[in-house]
Amino acid sequence: AFLLLFMLLYLTACKDSFLDVKPSTDIVSPKTLDDFQQMLDYSAINFTSGLPLLSADEYEIPNEKDWQGLTVTERNAYRWASDLFEGQEGVEDWSYPYQSIFYANNVINGLAALAKNAGNQKEYDDILGQAYFVRAFAFFDLVKNFAVPYAKKTADTDLGVPLKLNPNSDEIVARASLQDTYDQIA
């Protein structure tokens, strides 16, 4: 009872809780073509997964010491294990392409709000084209690693990858069909 009374008094005494603090308005959002180009020049864009190389037959692990130096995912890819990631969370082979997609979607959406005119048309179109390429390249990297190979007969029913086409990070997108995934890439 004493603990309950103490907690009640403590909570009523703390009027300025962290929930009452207003968020900062200092957050910078891109507004110029240069801002959008810098987003596309970010070093985390266009990373590709090493899974295809890790599972190829172009090399071999010569000894136990080298084998032990590999990560679980690298070992599983090398031996074609059915569960590559063994329940790992935050798999970079999945999250890095979606990070690139996030940046590309921000550029695509941001450019839509920016006026295109005769003076900036070439640069505008170049940046927009880069953003579409970055997004398509990331979707391709994802589909080659996390979907079945394309077969025309089953492409409409085989699962592709979630096609995140806007920067809203709260939106949950279901996996598209393999056909829809490749249509988006093209």
Side-chain angles (χ1 to χ4, degrees), residues 154-176:
T154 59
D156 286 326
T157 56
D158 288 338
L159 290 176
V161 297
L163 297 175
K164 193 83 168 112
L165 300 177
N166 68 61
N168 181 354
S169 59
D170 294 329
E171 178 186 42
I172 297 173
V173 179
R175 286 178 74 175

Side-chain angles (χ1 to χ4, degrees), residues 26-161:
D26 295 340
I27 297 173
V28 177
S29 42
K31 292 180 177 51
T32 67
L33 289 176
D34 187 54
D35 293 340
F36 293 119
Q37 183 63 59
Q38 286 182 34
M39 287 178 71
L40 292 172
D41 292 341
Y42 181 54
S43 62
I45 292 207
N46 287 336
F47 273 102
T48 59
S49 171
L51 292 176
L53 181 61
L54 290 167
S55 60
D57 64 351
E58 299 168 349
Y59 67 96
E60 61 181 60
I61 310 298
N63 56 51
E64 183 67 21
K65 181 181 177 196
D66 291 338
W67 178 256
Q68 293 305 322
L70 299 175
T71 67
V72 172
T73 302
E74 290 168 339
R75 277 183 264 173
N76 287 341
Y78 181 80
R79 58 189 174 107
W80 288 54
S82 60
D83 183 4
L84 235 67
F85 303 106
E86 294 186 13
Q88 286 182 58
E89 293 184 17
V91 174
E92 293 171 351
D93 299 292
W94 180 265
S95 61
Y96 280 171
Y98 276 108
Q99 183 177 356
S100 293
I101 291 166
F102 174 76
Y103 282 105
N105 285 337
N106 272 291
V107 170
I108 293 165
N109 275 19
L111 286 174
L114 191 66
K116 180 172 149 178
N117 57 48
N120 70 6
Q121 182 175 354
K122 185 177 182 320
E123 185 179 12
Y124 183 102
D125 290 343
D126 181 56
I127 293 169
L128 184 60
Q130 288 178 58
Y132 279 120
F133 175 82
V134 165
R135 187 169 73 181
F137 186 75
F139 281 139
F140 180 70
D141 192 47
L142 287 161
V143 76
K144 76 179 180 184
N145 291 313
F146 295 100
V148 296
Y150 185 88
K152 188 168 180 68
K153 282 184 174 180
T154 59
D156 286 326
T157 56
D158 288 338
L159 290 176
V161 297

